[in-house]
Amino acid sequence: MNFTMNFRKCFNAVFFKPKRPYRNLLCWTILVTFVFQCGCAHMLKRKLTAPTEFQSLDGSSPFLKAHMHDGRVYILSSWKVDSENQTVTGQGEVLNANRETLETGELTIPIDSVAIFETNTQHIPPEIKISAIVLIAEVALLGAVVVASGGDLTLGSCPTFYVSDGNGPILQAEGFSASVTPSLEASDVDALYRARPTESRFEVQMKNEMLETHVVRHVDLLAVKRQPNGRVFQTADGTFWETDTIIEPSAAAGSKGDCLPLLRAVDGQERFSEADPEYLATRETLDIEFENVPVGSDGLVIAARESLMSTFLFYQGLSYMGRSAGQWIAAFERGDTNIKKAVTGIGQTLGGIEVLLQDDTGKWVSVGEVKETGPLATDVHLVKLPPLQRERVNIRLRLTKGHWRLDAVKLVKLGKQRNPIRLSPIAVNQSGVSVDEAYQLLTDRKTALTTSPGDIYTLVYQLPQDFESYELFLESRGYYLEWMREAWLADENPALAAMMLFNPERALRVLAPEFKKVEVDIEKKFWGSRYEKPQ
């Protein structure tokens, strides 16, 4: 029996066929029980260890569950890793896709055939840690979860990068924010727009600030030559363009009135609005005017970051999956097309920042969109515009209310396209001491550096001698995994999980009141929840 298709059929019966009560009752029962039977047919009581005590865990967990690419599940009560043969051997049982027992006793699992491992220990052998996703504790969800019904706010992040603005390190980038499973591993390029190097030796601080495991393939600098007093910006297609003319807006207004002072500079002073209380995908518009615009090739620069709305929605959905999260994520890792399509539904419904240009007839024409996952660091984007032949330019931004925090919007005259110089770290330090192993892992494209909560690494780069003549960008590649906390299971609800996956429009209406409960304090609570290792 196909897990995804049967779950969806029951969901449709519950939500879209209310005139058949007998079927609704049956399907409600299936929705509540089917996932638990599939994901946790043989529940094991697992000890949860406080994050500050994770170093006390021994190297072998009394529990290991392996979700296979073909749908089978191995449940082992004791196990060990054979590094040479790349296998895991242990005592337990294997279940088929319908969760019927196929075999019991001593079992051997090829690591490369596993979609997901679940365990309750932090000390994972490297053969497993890098080759397959490992869910830690009860059932590890990916990223952070907001538990709406209980009011608890537990947020997460991806790797954060701190770079000096001339006065001291500030948060300037977050790495691969959308890469929440191994199959979503990706490269992410962020502008270090406020970086102010004072010498050719350049340092970037990489932090793991939440209860997460970060798997980092590489972190490189991209240095792009620029003219004196010029800047360089990157478009969504990865091309870099220099400019020596930056024009601030002359007027800017939206649903909350005048916002011009907030959009003139990349300074952390953001324009944002509150979400709609009835439908979280409700759009709003901002009208921005530029005067004295030179004729020629132009681009629009937008400095922005997501609000924590998308974090709330994505991880609330995982919280609703609860103990069945491993089953859903395994289906995703196996390439289930229904799951892969469904998980992007809410993000597509919320959308990005659409850029519209008013033409000579007064009509608004869509010319591009900015869309970057990540609620932590402001990123700077360039949208190329059609050639402009008038001194006054009117721009309209269309975006979801409460979903974006805008730092600056500017018009630029585009110069030459530039190619970056790639710079890998020359050293990796921790607490002021060089860590050769970490350096090797980050500079060998076949390996990865795995970090735990509270880890801080200082990456050292050698810039060109004329370092002041370069615009700097940070390219990071990897993925990250979240640690599970027991409180997250309080919202377990298979029906609501299905609704978020297969009917995102309805979910954005149902969850609007819940998000409004936490919206005012969500930023403050997030920044106050960062994890630091005990000294």
Side-chain angles (χ1 to χ4, degrees):
M1 182 166 58
N2 183 281
F3 174 82
T4 306
M5 293 306 297
N6 281 276
F7 201 99
R8 185 166 187 172
K9 287 178 182 177
C10 290
F11 168 79
N12 289 337
V14 169
F15 287 100
F16 297 113
K17 297 184 179 180
K19 294 182 179 180
R20 303 175 69 177
Y22 68 90
R23 183 170 182 175
N24 278 1
L25 178 61
L26 173 62
C27 284
W28 272 115
T29 303
I30 294 174
L31 280 169
V32 172
T33 61
F34 183 71
V35 175
F36 291 95
Q37 293 172 351
C38 288
C40 297
H42 301 262
M43 288 292 294
L44 298 175
K45 182 64 178 178
R46 303 161 210 173
K47 178 182 178 182
L48 295 180
T49 302
T52 55
E53 301 173 349
F54 72 85
Q55 294 291 359
S56 66
L57 292 171
D58 62 21
S60 61
S61 168
F63 149 75
L64 184 70
K65 181 186 287 186
H67 296 266
M68 312 303 286
H69 285 291
D70 61 7
R72 291 175 298 152
V73 176
Y74 286 78
I75 303 175
L76 306 181
S77 59
S78 61
W79 53 277
K80 61 182 180 180
V81 176
D82 184 337
S83 302
E84 182 177 351
N85 294 315
Q86 290 288 290
T87 59
V88 175
T89 300
Q91 293 290 326
E93 62 181 330
V94 57
L95 313 177
N96 64 15
N98 296 329
R99 299 308 177 253
E100 301 165 338
T101 301
L102 297 177
E103 186 180 352
T104 60
E106 183 172 283
L107 303 168
T108 298
I109 308 170
I111 291 176
D112 61 6
S113 64
V114 177
I116 295 174
F117 283 108
E118 291 183 58
T119 185
N120 63 344
T121 179
Q122 202 274 335
H123 292 284
I124 305 298
E127 296 85 352
I128 291 180
K129 188 183 296 183
I130 301 303
S131 62
I133 182 174
V134 180
L135 306 179
I136 296 176
E138 272 289 336
V139 177
L141 307 183
L142 306 176
V145 173
V146 180
V147 183
S149 62
D152 294 331
L153 196 60
T154 310
L155 294 166
S157 69
C158 43
T160 48
F161 297 95
Y162 290 76
V163 179
S164 176
D165 65 351
N167 298 314
I170 63 171
L171 176 61
Q172 296 207 40
E174 54 184 304
F176 42 85
S177 305
S179 301
V180 292
T181 71
S183 64
L184 290 176
E185 179 180 316
S187 295
D188 183 25
V189 178
D190 298 294
L192 301 181
Y193 190 79
R194 299 172 68 182
R196 299 293 183 270
T198 57
E199 58 178 333
S200 59
R201 178 185 169 89
F202 186 77
E203 295 186 349
V204 175
Q205 229 179 34
M206 180 176 71
K207 297 185 179 183
N208 184 333
E209 300 186 87
M210 293 293 166
L211 298 179
E212 299 172 347
T213 298
H214 297 166
V215 180
V216 187
R217 295 290 179 187
H218 69 255
V219 182
D220 290 345
L221 281 182
L222 302 180
V224 187
K225 190 78 170 182
R226 65 186 182 192
Q227 299 297 320
N229 301 318
R231 301 303 302 254
V232 175
F233 299 96
Q234 185 190 30
T235 59
D237 64 3
T239 57
F240 297 88
W241 297 86
E242 67 172 351
T243 179
D244 58 7
T245 304
I246 300 178
I247 306 167
E248 294 183 357
S250 55
S255 59
K256 297 180 65 176
D258 180 42
C259 55
L260 180 62
L262 297 174
L263 300 182
R264 282 178 166 167
V266 183
D267 56 7
Q269 302 299 311
E270 300 170 320
R271 186 273 176 193
F272 61 94
S273 62
E274 294 184 357
D276 186 89
E278 296 182 356
Y279 182 45
L280 292 181
T282 298
R283 299 296 200 270
E284 65 174 333
T285 59
L286 275 69
D287 289 330
I288 305 171
E289 183 181 271
F290 297 89
E291 294 180 338
N292 302 316
V293 178
V295 174
S297 180
D298 295 89
L300 188 73
V301 170
I302 299 176
R305 64 185 176 102
E306 284 186 326
S307 73
L308 289 164
M309 177 192 291
S310 56
T311 302
F312 170 89
L313 291 167
F314 184 60
Y315 297 118
Q316 185 63 65
L318 289 172
S319 181
Y320 288 151
M321 292 178 188
R323 292 174 178 85
S324 67
Q327 185 77 7
W328 287 95
I329 299 167
F332 183 89
E333 289 296 293
R334 287 195 296 266
D336 186 299
T337 55
N338 292 309
I339 295 294
K340 283 187 173 293
K341 182 178 180 181
V343 297
T344 62
I346 282 186
Q348 290 178 349
T349 305
L350 292 176
I353 303 173
E354 184 183 8
V355 178
L356 300 99
L357 175 67
Q358 191 174 41
D359 65 16
D360 294 334
T361 68
K363 179 181 178 181
W364 292 101
V365 180
S366 181
V367 294
E369 184 182 37
V370 167
K371 192 171 185 179
E372 172 94 3
T373 302
L376 306 184
T378 296
D379 203 2
V380 181
H381 308 268
L382 172 65
V383 175
K384 291 186 66 179
L385 302 176
L388 303 177
Q389 304 297 327
R390 54 189 183 278
E391 292 186 353
R392 177 173 294 178
V393 175
N394 292 315
I395 296 289
R396 174 170 289 177
L397 302 182
R398 182 184 294 152
L399 61 162
T400 294
K401 294 181 65 176
H403 183 40
W404 293 97
R405 303 177 73 94
L406 296 172
D407 198 355
V409 180
K410 300 184 180 186
L411 203 67
V412 298
K413 304 301 296 184
L414 299 182
K416 296 180 180 179
Q417 183 177 338
R418 293 291 188 181
N419 294 318
I421 300 172
R422 180 178 295 273
L423 304 173
S424 297
I426 60 171
V428 177
N429 301 331
Q430 199 170 32
S431 301
V433 178
S434 179
V435 184
D436 291 339
E437 181 182 6
Y439 168 76
Q440 294 295 334
L441 291 172
L442 281 178
T443 53
D444 183 347
R445 288 295 194 265
K446 297 180 181 179
T447 60
L449 172 65
T450 303
T451 73
S452 299
D455 283 350
I456 301 175
Y457 288 91
T458 299
L459 315 181
V460 183
Y461 301 85
Q462 183 64 48
L463 300 179
Q465 289 301 311
D466 56 342
F467 56 88
E468 294 179 331
S469 301
Y470 286 84
E471 191 84 46
L472 299 179
F473 298 81
L474 191 75
E475 181 186 278
S476 56
R477 183 175 181 85
Y479 64 90
Y480 67 101
L481 312 171
E482 180 67 33
W483 292 18
M484 179 60 182
R485 273 77 94 190
E486 189 173 10
W488 292 357
L489 298 178
D491 269 5
E492 191 167 38
N493 190 318
L496 290 180
M499 181 175 63
M500 293 191 72
L501 284 170
F502 302 120
N503 192 352
E505 289 81 7
R506 180 175 174 81
L508 292 174
R509 296 187 187 278
V510 171
L511 286 172
E514 301 299 336
F515 179 67
K516 295 298 290 185
K517 293 178 183 178
V518 300
E519 182 180 22
V520 173
D521 297 324
I522 195 169
E523 283 270 334
K524 179 180 178 181
K525 288 185 177 181
F526 169 74
W527 293 109
S529 68
R530 288 178 291 179
Y531 178 86
E532 294 184 5
K533 280 185 176 178
Q535 299 298 318

